[in-house]
Amino acid sequence: MYSDSIKNGANNAPHRALFHALGLTNEEISRPMVGIVSSYNEIVPGHMNIDKIVDAVKLGVAMAGGTPVVFPAIAVCDGIAMGHRGMKYSLVTRDLIADSTEAMALAHGFDALVMVPNCDKNVPGLLMAAARLNIPTIFVSGGPMLAGRVDGKKTSFSSISEAVGQFAAGTINAEKLEEFEKKGCPTCGSCSGMYTANSMNCLTEVLGMALRGNGTIPAVYSQRIELAKHAGMKIMELLEKDIKPLDIMTEKAFMNALTVDMALGCSTNSMLHLPAIAHECGININLDIANDISSKTPNLCHLAPAGHTYIEELDEAGGVYAVMNELSKKNLLNLDCMTATGKTVGENISGCVNKDTDVIRPIENPYSQTGGIAVLRGNLAPDSCVVKRSAVCEEMLVHSGPARVFDCEEDAMAAITGGKIKEGDVVVIRYEGPKGGPGMREMLNPTSAIMGMGLGSKVALITDGRFSGATRGAAIGHVSPEAAVGGVIGVVEEGDTISINIPENTITLDVPQEEIDRRLAAFTPKTKELHGYLKRYAKMVTSGSTGAILKD
């Protein structure tokens, strides 16, 4: 065990003295040291219950003969950060989390780790750290929120965001808006739809780094505490068998993750996070791979915001393993991959039946024959852009209209809520990319306003920023290259025609190439005065098309 190098022998008496200062007994010091990375805080609803999850993990580790030691990881609530400068600090925390976890784990000589994340950047950041450290590691999340209820119908965070647009359009009054506000998020946990946090927690199961139910057992269920105890016990087995993250997160495992991503209809943010996690594993995932997988993977789930079912219903239907079992019927998964259960994918999903074919469509009767995410290319986005096609209405899969151009989210939001966006328009929001933002802000407020004002089947939105998993509609993000590095999106002019064809995976600025070249030759991207971490981040971050990883 690595911790022996800081615990055993006369020379390590000073180390042992500090362990005794923590109140550890000789018996505890002699056992394997298991670090429990807790992202508990009192500002993120998805993290307020993690103290209880951590206590259960500690008990599981101790029952199995290890010594649990807790240290923290930060987490930003994307919902609270939304719509102001705080959103610049969301994506950038992914690397802070990975870096700080690496530092804590190696500085203190842990033998194994249990990661306890929940919301958006916390999960991929800790997966990146797990790959980097490559010591036995398992994940157990805080779990999803239960859906709310308004007028007898289930609701979620996206319902509240769209209610703001409905209020602006005059279709609901202030009392109804307040009802959404009070009832839409009824419990702790990650927001109840297939948004980014739940997407990544489900995909952590698929990658093999978590036990069954990690992505779907609701935060308030006692079963979540049982899961945490089992994760604590299981890490001791992984340590004994020396099963490490790089044994689990192989290229085949990432192909599985992309496949299930398409079947579930996950957040477009997965197209940032999976490449970044793979990069830490020494694996290259380009977005052409995503389209290849999408072309042969049926979309089996329409969870909110794409439909009217929620994570709690996915759990009741059999969870992620039931989706994987459906996919295995057409040989779409690599079943021989090792997982944190100590068994292969095939062994894990054997017998995991689909208990509700309204929530998980049978593979013979999917929502569509192609996956939930599409990667588009064209002269407007030569390096790619991304759309959650499963959340786009039929009328907007192919669209052409005049560009309405804005250089920041706030200006676009004012135009949308001010009634200045008309049917057929293509809203373009630029200088919100990884460098230009910096931090690649999510655009949930503008997309929700468009939906709430009844324009979801008539207006598209394109940005070099990104979207919340709660976004639905013809919302196309991650346009690369971004405006700040001289991308074509930076020279789009008001009234230019933009054509979108999601089935054909194309996006086109309908301007002669000679004119585009002329504009680019005269183009100087706008710059912003930056300070602190954002200044360093903007210098180091790469394109959205490469997962917004930092330069080596």
Side-chain angles (χ1 to χ4, degrees):
M1 295 184 299
Y2 182 81
S3 65
D4 288 346
S5 65
I6 62 171
K7 294 188 304 188
N8 296 347
N11 289 341
N12 284 324
H15 298 103
R16 292 194 297 275
L18 293 172
F19 287 134
H20 285 302
L22 292 168
L24 296 181
T25 65
N26 285 334
E27 290 83 359
E28 289 172 303
I29 294 170
S30 69
R31 296 170 183 164
M33 288 281 183
V34 179
I36 302 175
V37 186
S38 170
S39 60
Y40 167 78
N41 63 48
E42 294 183 341
I43 189 63
V44 185
H47 291 232
M48 64 179 284
N49 66 317
I50 279 178
D51 56 342
K52 297 174 180 60
I53 304 297
V54 166
D55 286 345
V57 171
K58 289 173 68 177
L59 186 56
V61 169
M63 285 192 296
T67 297
V69 182
V70 179
F71 65 89
I74 63 169
V76 164
C77 177
D78 278 28
I80 295 173
M82 196 75 64
H84 60 100
R85 67 179 180 178
M87 183 46 73
K88 296 178 185 289
Y89 286 90
S90 173
L91 180 60
V92 305
T93 65
R94 187 182 70 183
D95 295 276
L96 283 176
I97 291 162
D99 292 348
S100 59
T101 302
E102 173 192 358
M104 286 293 289
L106 293 180
H108 300 103
F110 289 107
D111 298 304
L113 295 172
V114 181
M115 307 291 200
V116 190
N118 207 23
C119 292
D120 296 22
K121 313 310 167 294
N122 198 240
V123 182
L126 290 178
L127 283 165
M128 290 163 66
R132 222 182 268 178
L133 292 162
N134 200 34
I135 60 176
T137 302
I138 196 169
F139 278 65
V140 56
S141 76
M145 184 183 292
L146 293 177
R149 283 187 180 272
V150 175
D151 297 330
K153 297 179 180 178
K154 287 189 175 181
T155 61
S156 60
F157 185 73
S158 56
S159 308
I160 308 162
S161 299
E162 291 180 17
V164 173
Q166 293 168 348
F167 177 71
T171 56
I172 64 171
N173 59 24
E175 289 75 20
K176 180 57 70 175
L177 178 60
E178 184 178 10
E179 185 178 0
F180 274 100
E181 174 187 330
K182 295 287 181 64
K183 296 181 177 179
C185 295
T187 73
C188 63
S190 47
C191 294
S192 56
M194 187 53 81
Y195 308 154
T196 305
N198 293 327
S199 295
M200 294 310 302
N201 282 321
C202 287
L203 295 179
T204 302
E205 276 191 62
V206 183
L207 281 171
M209 290 296 292
L211 302 180
R212 182 181 184 183
N214 177 69
T216 60
I217 298 171
V220 295
Y221 283 13
S222 298
Q223 190 182 355
R224 173 68 50 179
I225 301 298
E226 294 182 34
L227 179 71
K229 291 175 184 175
H230 283 130
M233 291 186 277
K234 184 62 69 171
I235 191 59
M236 298 306 296
E237 179 185 327
L238 295 176
L239 178 60
E240 180 184 356
K241 294 179 177 178
D242 197 30
I243 298 174
K244 299 174 182 176
L246 295 186
D247 300 321
I248 295 171
M249 291 193 287
T250 62
E251 185 171 357
K252 286 183 177 180
F254 280 100
M255 295 306 104
N256 284 349
L258 285 167
T259 300
V260 179
D261 189 336
M262 298 301 169
L264 285 173
C266 290
S267 164
T268 52
N269 282 314
S270 64
M271 294 296 102
L272 287 173
H273 300 322
L274 288 175
I277 300 161
H279 175 75
E280 295 289 350
C281 296
I283 297 165
N284 178 50
I285 292 180
N286 65 57
L287 296 187
D288 290 325
I289 296 172
N291 265 355
D292 288 344
I293 289 176
S294 180
S295 69
K296 60 188 179 185
T297 304
N299 178 225
L300 304 182
C301 299
H302 266 192
L303 297 151
H308 300 290
T309 53
Y310 297 82
I311 300 297
E312 62 200 68
E313 289 158 302
L314 176 61
D315 187 62
E316 292 164 5
V320 174
Y321 278 18
V323 176
M324 295 174 73
N325 199 34
E326 287 289 342
L327 293 170
S328 71
K329 294 175 182 177
K330 290 197 174 180
N331 300 315
L332 294 174
L333 295 176
N334 299 292
L335 300 181
D336 58 346
C337 295
M338 178 52 61
T339 73
T341 67
K343 300 177 181 179
T344 65
V345 168
E347 291 172 312
N348 286 342
I349 67 174
S350 177
C352 294
V353 299
N354 180 359
K355 299 176 182 177
D356 190 336
T357 55
D358 289 331
V359 177
I360 305 170
R361 287 276 187 94
I363 198 158
E364 300 83 9
N365 181 35
Y367 282 101
S368 65
Q369 293 295 337
T370 52
I373 292 177
V375 177
L376 315 183
R377 276 192 170 84
N379 63 354
L380 183 57
D383 290 345
S384 75
C385 55
V386 179
V387 63
K388 188 171 183 174
R389 67 185 298 164
S390 60
V392 180
C393 65
E394 190 72 28
E395 304 95 300
M396 291 300 294
L397 290 173
V398 178
H399 179 77
S400 184
R404 304 297 308 280
V405 183
F406 304 94
D407 286 346
C408 67
E409 177 189 359
E410 290 82 357
D411 290 350
M413 188 66 181
I416 295 165
T417 57
K420 296 179 180 178
I421 302 302
K422 307 300 180 186
E423 292 185 13
D425 285 348
V426 178
V427 177
V428 176
I429 306 177
R430 59 194 181 191
Y431 293 105
E432 293 287 9
K435 285 185 179 292
M440 208 175 185
R441 287 199 289 179
E442 289 185 346
M443 302 290 157
L444 177 60
N445 285 352
T447 56
S448 295
I450 287 170
M451 298 302 297
M453 297 183 76
L455 295 171
S457 61
K458 305 172 181 69
V459 169
L461 191 150
I462 297 170
T463 181
D464 51 11
R466 60 193 179 91
F467 297 110
S468 164
T471 286
R472 63 188 179 107
I476 298 167
H478 310 190
V479 170
S480 303
E482 61 178 293
V485 299
V488 173
I489 191 173
V491 298
V492 176
E493 295 181 358
E494 188 81 6
D496 284 348
T497 299
I498 294 176
S499 296
I500 302 157
N501 191 320
I502 295 173
E504 297 294 330
N505 302 112
T506 62
I507 183 167
T508 307
L509 175 62
D510 292 328
V511 171
Q513 188 59 48
E514 313 86 75
E515 172 61 14
I516 294 174
D517 292 342
R518 184 193 66 77
R519 293 182 191 178
L520 288 173
F523 178 45
T524 301
K526 294 182 178 181
T527 58
K528 299 174 182 176
E529 185 176 351
L530 301 173
H531 305 279
Y533 181 54
L534 287 183
K535 184 175 183 178
R536 297 197 304 276
Y537 183 86
K539 286 183 178 179
M540 298 175 67
V541 71
T542 61
S543 167
S545 64
T546 58
I549 60 173
L550 301 186
K551 296 174 185 173
D552 292 331

